[in-house]
Amino acid sequence: MIEKLRLSLCVGCGGQIHDQYILRVAPDLEWHAACLKCQECRQFLDESCTCFVRDGKTYCKRDYTRLFGTKCDKCGSSFSKNDFVMRAKTKIYHIDCFRCCACARQLIP
């Protein structure tokens, strides 16, 4: 019986992975530990830093949220997990940004 060896190629550098540990991201992306970095800030992504993938590119949580997270329709800033928000149809606002466009008075539900 012939045993088929599985060849692992690093998505980051394209080289064969001979390391003891292979970092597997998503179902089919494998990396050398030294190659798995955030596309934006170049921070290493390992067990101490959450990894997010979009279009085959990897990001740290901060950059992923900044680039792809929901943003306030008034100020354009991202929301933190502790922010209260106001929604009007398909738009979303920070509480302080939810104001009348004619008089700038804060609107309340």
Side-chain angles (χ1 to χ4, degrees), residues 4 20 28-29 44-45 54-55 58 72 75 83 90 92-93 98 101 103 105:
K4 186 177 176 184
Q20 182 178 2
D28 57 351
L29 303 176
F44 286 104
L45 303 172
R54 178 136 176 182
D55 300 326
T58 54
C72 175
C75 72
D83 285 340
T90 60
I92 185 168
Y93 302 89
F98 194 64
C101 60
C103 68
R105 184 176 297 166

Side-chain angles (χ1 to χ4, degrees), residues 37-45 49 58-63 66-67:
K37 298 177 185 173
C38 174
Q39 288 291 125
E40 287 290 306
C41 70
R42 310 307 293 161
Q43 175 182 359
F44 286 104
L45 303 172
C49 182
T58 54
Y59 300 92
C60 66
K61 184 176 183 176
R62 188 186 77 239
D63 286 328
R66 179 179 57 81
L67 294 167

Side-chain angles (χ1 to χ4, degrees), residues 1 8 11 19 27 47 55 63 73 75-76 93 95:
M1 182 155 127
S8 293
V11 176
D19 302 359
E47 65 276 351
D55 300 326
D63 286 328
D73 279 285
C75 72
Y93 302 89
I95 293 286

Side-chain angles (χ1 to χ4, degrees), residues 43-101:
Q43 175 182 359
F44 286 104
L45 303 172
D46 55 21
E47 65 276 351
S48 66
C49 182
T50 305
C51 180
F52 293 83
V53 179
R54 178 136 176 182
D55 300 326
K57 296 178 181 175
T58 54
Y59 300 92
C60 66
K61 184 176 183 176
R62 188 186 77 239
D63 286 328
Y64 186 87
T65 302
R66 179 179 57 81
L67 294 167
F68 307 112
T70 304
K71 295 183 176 54
C72 175
D73 279 285
K74 173 70 174 158
C75 72
S77 295
S78 298
F79 297 98
S80 76
K81 63 181 179 182
N82 298 322
D83 285 340
F84 288 104
V85 299
M86 295 295 287
R87 295 178 187 272
K89 295 195 177 192
T90 60
K91 300 192 180 282
I92 185 168
Y93 302 89
H94 292 105
I95 293 286
D96 195 49
C97 293
F98 194 64
R99 296 178 174 272
C100 173
C101 60

